[in-house]
Amino acid sequence: MSQALRAAASRLENWIKEDALPLWLERGLVPGTGANYERLTPEGVPDLESSTRVRVQARQAFFFAAAYHRGWCPQGKQVAKNLLAFVQQNAAHPSAAAGYTHLLDKDFKVVDTKQDLYDHAFFLLANAWCYRAFKEESYLQEADKLIAHLDKAFGSAVGGWVEGDYPYACRRQNPHMHLFEAFLALFDATGDAKYLARVGELFALFQSHFFDAEKGVLFEFFDDQWTRLPNAKGDTVEPGHMMEWVWLLDWYHRRSGRPVAQYTDKLYARGLEIGMDKSGLLFDAVSYTGEVMDRNKRCWGITELIKASLVQIRAGNPDAEAIAIKGVDDLFTYYLCAATPGSYVDQRGAQDEVVVDVAPASTLYHLIVAAME
């Protein structure tokens, strides 16, 4: 690692340790409940009127468990345990065999009981990391219970899982991407090959449906047979997800030995080609031909660019280190620039202006993974 890259890594790590963790420990946690607020306002205080997505509790449990495991937050163990205990007590599904509800109101009462595949991917991830960090069997047992529930309730005969227990317009690659991540995390936490086998199933789904070799892109939206939707939505490409898959596929390669360079090199190159604005930020959505469909740029996209660039540095890409270093600079310039240390801007617009200035707790998941990488 070069001195410049090491400095960029230290800058991001120090922001997590010295700014983000103290702020979210002090202001992000709901007193007396164990829960986490959905977001902070631009003034750096909790938004007391906001509803709370149940999955945010899982993402924050991951954030604090990972920070504890890394040695960055001694309090993280108890915070993560409290978050998952709160969900078990207050947001477990009232009638399903396992799993969780979807949405809480401002008083942290359940107002939407639907079960969503994307939500549950993060509960698998949170339990994987709590098991890894705390070595308590209950977290692994909960993960296995969730997997069995997803397979039985939402498993699909044509691969993967359906979206949930509600009417949906299409199937998404995004929940499957995060299940890919969660199963890899479970394998890392346990060494049990059964989890790596599940990653292999999802890798096959990526190869056969999500990735288009001819166009060199990752598609997002499909019908129930995994056929890409025949409209503008079906043409949609999210550059941030292309970068995220570069990182995930490399992780899978390092655990399984499966060759993935034919995918990672193409996704990275095409993501830069069609997904990057002149400033260096990634558009939220483009078409596979390069037409910009959504000129906004969320904070998480740049974290995935950084992670993908680190993969490409290891692969010998001569441009990747400069992109990674600039990515960290851009992260601080455009997003980690809120008036309250440890908070952030969530979204920039077409001219890189601020369009969403609240700080969703869910973004901390992306930021800490980039810092750990």
Side-chain angles (χ1 to χ4, degrees):
M1 185 187 294
S2 72
Q3 185 174 353
L5 188 60
R6 192 178 301 277
S10 296
R11 186 183 183 192
L12 186 50
E13 178 182 330
N14 289 337
W15 182 87
I16 293 283
K17 292 192 297 186
E18 297 170 11
D19 294 329
L21 281 162
L23 176 69
W24 289 88
L25 284 168
E26 179 187 351
R27 302 185 192 177
L29 303 175
V30 185
T33 67
N36 199 99
Y37 289 112
E38 173 76 14
R39 62 192 189 186
L40 301 183
T41 69
E43 294 72 36
V45 298
D47 181 350
L48 300 179
E49 297 303 311
S50 175
S51 300
T52 296
R53 297 165 294 173
V54 175
R55 70 170 175 265
V56 169
Q57 311 305 307
R59 286 170 77 131
Q60 285 296 86
F62 161 79
F63 173 74
F64 283 108
Y68 171 81
H69 184 264
R70 196 75 174 202
W72 294 347
C73 182
Q75 309 98 307
K77 178 177 181 178
Q78 194 57 53
V79 174
K81 290 168 69 75
N82 290 346
L83 284 161
L84 291 185
F86 167 82
V87 171
Q88 290 284 4
Q89 294 161 11
N90 298 278
H93 198 276
S95 59
Y100 303 105
T101 53
H102 180 66
L103 191 68
L104 310 175
D105 66 14
K106 66 178 183 177
D107 298 315
F108 296 90
K109 303 299 183 184
V110 175
V111 291
D112 187 343
T113 61
K114 78 178 180 184
Q115 290 207 309
D116 181 70
L117 183 65
Y118 182 86
D119 293 356
H120 286 75
F122 286 100
F123 279 100
L124 280 184
L125 182 67
N127 279 285
W129 269 87
C130 283
Y131 176 73
R132 179 175 178 174
F134 316 147
K135 299 302 180 188
E136 296 181 18
E137 286 292 328
S138 60
Y139 296 108
L140 189 57
Q141 292 166 1
E142 176 63 14
D144 285 337
K145 183 179 178 182
L146 280 175
I147 293 165
H149 174 61
L150 293 179
D151 286 345
K152 183 175 182 180
F154 307 119
S156 167
V158 294
W161 299 264
V162 299
E163 296 294 304
D165 64 351
Y166 56 91
Y168 54 86
C170 62
R171 295 180 74 178
R172 301 167 292 169
Q173 75 78 23
N174 194 9
H176 295 79
M177 177 182 73
H178 286 293
L179 285 161
F180 190 99
E181 175 187 17
F183 281 117
L184 277 169
L186 282 164
F187 176 69
D188 278 6
T190 65
D192 192 327
K194 71 180 183 181
Y195 300 116
L196 193 60
R198 301 308 297 265
V199 185
E201 294 174 18
L202 288 158
F203 180 54
L205 206 58
F206 165 87
Q207 290 176 300
S208 58
H209 298 295
F210 304 157
F211 180 74
D212 187 302
E214 179 185 346
K215 298 176 177 63
V217 298
L218 176 86
F219 284 114
E220 297 283 338
F221 302 110
F222 305 84
D223 67 17
D224 269 323
Q225 301 302 312
W226 286 124
T227 300
R228 180 163 64 90
L229 295 183
N231 51 30
K233 189 167 186 175
D235 292 346
T236 301
V237 168
E238 295 192 22
H241 284 162
M242 291 174 66
M243 296 299 175
E244 200 162 359
W245 270 105
V246 171
W247 171 69
L248 287 167
L249 291 167
D250 179 71
W251 184 2
Y252 179 55
H253 162 70
R254 288 181 282 117
R255 298 298 180 266
S256 69
R258 295 287 294 274
V260 299
Q262 61 180 311
Y263 308 113
T264 54
D265 290 350
K266 179 63 77 171
L267 285 169
Y268 187 72
R270 285 286 283 157
L272 294 176
E273 179 187 353
I274 66 175
M276 183 178 280
D277 198 3
K278 57 184 181 296
S279 62
L281 306 184
L282 293 184
F283 293 114
D284 281 359
V286 300
S287 76
Y288 68 87
T289 60
E291 176 190 357
V292 180
M293 302 175 76
D294 185 345
R295 291 189 174 276
N296 290 327
K297 303 126 190 170
R298 292 280 304 278
C299 174
W300 69 264
I302 206 77
T303 68
E304 301 309 321
L305 173 63
I306 293 165
K307 288 158 56 182
S309 296
L310 295 176
V311 169
Q312 291 302 99
I313 292 169
R314 291 196 295 269
N317 184 319
D319 302 320
E321 180 170 318
I323 294 170
I325 292 168
K326 184 180 185 300
V328 174
D329 286 341
D330 288 345
L331 185 60
F332 278 90
T333 298
Y334 292 101
Y335 301 105
L336 307 187
C337 55
T340 303
S343 189
Y344 35 86
V345 169
D346 185 56
Q347 193 172 53
R348 295 276 178 168
Q351 304 303 319
D352 296 335
E353 75 281 11
V354 175
V355 294
V356 177
D357 56 2
V358 295
S362 58
T363 302
L364 289 165
Y365 150 78
H366 291 280
L367 291 165
I368 197 170
V369 174
M372 291 193 297
E373 285 298 301

